[in-house]
Amino acid sequence: MRRGTNVHALGGFNQIVILDTIRRTRDGLSRVEIAEQTGLSAQTVSNVSRRLLDEGIIREAGQRILGVGKPRIILELDPTGGYAIGVHLDPAVITYVVLDLDGRVVAHHSTRTPSGVTPDRVILDMRDAIEAIIDEAGVDRARVLGVGIAAPGPLDLDRGVVLDPPLLEGWHGVALRDALAAATGLTVLLEKDVTAATVAELWTSSAHERDDFMFFYYGTGVGVGLAIAHEAVRGATSNAGDAGHIIVDPDGPLCSCGRRGCLGDAIMPRRIVGRAISSGLIAAPGDRLDGREVDEGLARIAALAASGDADASTVLDEMADRVAVAVVTIANLLDLDTVVFGGPYWNRVSPRILGRISASVNSSDALVTTHPIAATVSTIGDDVAAVGAACLVLDDALSPRPSALLISG
Ligand SMILES: [Zn+2]
């Protein structure tokens, strides 16, 4: 449990401790309960609560009778007290969400990622889209706590730089965090896409419900977000989760790494659709295979499989088996008990392959864990990485940290 301190100079820290205590209790808390849980004095809790009420960050939510004595006024987070913007930059789609202080999505917008334009242009488009979604949500701009942005790795998180994502054309060493902060005048936090998706799942599941899991991200690229003991795993440079070169088919096509049958190459949407076109399963939609064509191609393969086409069924069955090999490898390594699937293209293939993946994983001779692996689909949907990016902003604004004590002290 986080304990506060009654030293006057640390009022800011106490405020965050109290907010954090309130927001973690769904039904709200009385001032007496807050004092008990934080170790702060009744006077400190009273003063800070008054300030938070005045600022519209918490609100009174009726009275509750607890044992003997007079009824106590319950305090709860006011969802309209603050908002976070989440942006997800995928090579095919850019998604924007606005979350209230309670983590609920109050506005959503998505747009195709423009191709053939500079990152500077894309960042200016992002600025316009952020301003538009703040307007659309009817949110007081002064209550926007910041912007979280999820982007494909590798990233240099310390410098806020998108280094060289293999699938994001023209993005080499782009200082995305600072450029977007300068363009919007808002605080911006950067996170790897798969980690952001994992953070969103952590926010929407209670502790112990989902503690040790992987988020299997199926976007333009394929990646894995990891959570252990209900915490996102980031690694030494916050680039954890690159599963692209796990070998899932030793006789598969040659990968850029020189080996055969790597996961990313085997199941990447563009590759699946490309192979279906060259084998004559589906017609080529045009000269280029951009995000829209890949999406439509996957949908056509899934529809063919659903109508009983044997070749289309084989394509998706093989994909399911390749995914299962990777899931078993990662689940074994980290003793995970759940895999959550999601990302922009996942829903195209999920109805057909989720059951087969689950069966294949749990019947695998290579699975050494003593418990079954649950295979589920993200309930957050296509917005998952954007929601996770916004959750980072809420976490940053609302979570007490010892470093705040050091600075104040
Ligand atoms: Zn490879």
Side-chain angles (χ1 to χ4, degrees):
M1 173 168 302
R2 296 184 170 94
R3 309 285 291 185
T5 164
N6 290 307
V7 178
H8 176 68
L10 306 183
F13 183 72
N14 288 341
Q15 178 163 318
I16 297 289
V17 166
I18 288 173
L19 256 182
D20 190 54
T21 306
I22 293 172
R23 79 167 165 132
R24 285 172 195 282
T25 314
R26 283 283 143 196
D27 302 331
L29 287 170
S30 70
R31 290 175 177 78
V32 172
E33 289 168 304
I34 294 169
E36 285 167 2
Q37 292 194 17
T38 59
L40 292 165
S41 74
Q43 188 59 48
T44 299
V45 172
S46 177
N47 292 344
V48 173
S49 303
R50 172 47 49 203
R51 198 155 61 230
L52 291 168
L53 283 164
D54 288 346
E55 290 171 5
I57 296 170
I58 62 171
R59 62 187 180 191
E60 294 183 344
Q63 299 187 338
R64 196 184 294 157
I65 298 167
L66 302 157
V68 292
K70 62 175 184 174
R72 291 165 180 173
I73 295 167
I74 298 303
L75 301 175
E76 66 177 16
L77 212 59
D78 186 338
T80 66
Y83 296 88
I85 313 288
V87 181
H88 175 205
L89 170 64
D90 177 88
V93 190
I94 305 179
T95 308
Y96 302 86
V97 294
V98 180
L99 262 56
D100 68 17
L101 212 47
D102 236 359
R104 273 188 294 263
V105 176
V106 297
H108 148 102
H109 177 70
S110 69
T111 172
R112 293 264 155 206
T113 307
S115 52
V117 298
T118 63
D120 287 351
R121 181 68 247 169
V122 176
I123 290 165
L124 291 178
D125 288 350
M126 280 181 181
R127 175 201 62 192
D128 294 346
I130 288 167
E131 296 302 334
I133 202 170
I134 291 171
D135 277 354
E136 181 200 323
V139 166
D140 176 2
R141 203 176 189 285
R143 293 212 174 261
V144 174
L145 299 164
V147 178
I149 180 157
L155 306 172
D156 180 339
L157 274 211
D158 289 342
R159 292 166 48 230
V161 170
V162 176
L163 289 175
D164 203 11
L167 301 169
L168 205 55
E169 227 172 273
W171 289 65
H172 308 292
V174 177
L176 176 59
R177 183 191 64 199
D178 291 353
L180 195 60
T184 59
L186 294 164
T187 303
V188 177
L189 303 174
L190 180 66
E191 182 73 275
K192 189 175 170 179
D193 46 13
V194 290
T195 307
T198 305
V199 167
E201 292 296 326
L202 288 168
W203 258 73
T204 50
S205 64
S206 55
H208 309 307
E209 179 193 343
R210 191 174 282 167
D211 285 347
D212 304 286
F213 69 91
M214 75 185 87
F215 189 99
F216 197 102
Y217 179 88
Y218 196 56
T220 302
V222 176
V224 169
L226 298 165
I228 293 179
H230 211 73
E231 293 279 346
V233 175
R234 291 183 167 83
T237 63
S238 299
N239 282 299
D242 204 316
H245 295 285
I246 292 178
I247 294 174
V248 294
D249 175 20
D251 301 320
L254 200 61
C255 176
S256 60
C257 73
R259 302 175 305 167
R260 291 194 172 274
C262 291
L263 176 72
D265 198 65
I267 71 157
M268 191 185 291
R270 181 185 295 268
R271 295 272 196 279
I272 297 256
V273 171
R275 287 196 294 266
I277 291 170
S278 45
S279 72
L281 179 63
I282 59 172
D287 302 342
R288 264 178 75 90
L289 210 51
D290 69 13
R292 189 193 308 268
E293 277 82 45
V294 169
D295 192 44
E296 286 168 4
L298 273 185
R300 266 183 289 157
I301 295 168
L304 280 172
S307 70
D309 183 281
D311 291 337
S313 299
T314 302
V315 167
L316 294 183
D317 287 351
E318 282 181 359
M319 175 184 168
D321 295 344
R322 312 281 186 256
V323 172
V325 170
V327 167
V328 167
T329 301
I330 298 164
N332 278 343
L333 186 66
L334 297 169
D335 191 12
L336 309 177
D337 59 17
T338 302
V339 49
V340 182
F341 291 95
Y345 293 114
W346 181 256
N347 285 337
R348 290 294 186 200
V349 293
S350 187
R352 171 74 197 190
I353 69 174
L354 186 67
R356 186 178 173 108
I357 292 171
S358 178
S360 181
V361 165
N362 286 295
S363 65
S364 169
D365 291 337
L367 186 69
V368 297
T369 60
T370 54
H371 48 77
I373 309 294
T376 63
V377 177
S378 171
T379 54
I380 305 168
D382 290 354
D383 291 343
V384 64
V387 168
C391 289
L392 292 166
V393 173
L394 296 179
D395 251 342
D396 190 62
L398 296 176
S399 296
R401 290 188 186 77
S403 58
L405 274 175
L406 293 175
I407 291 162
S408 304

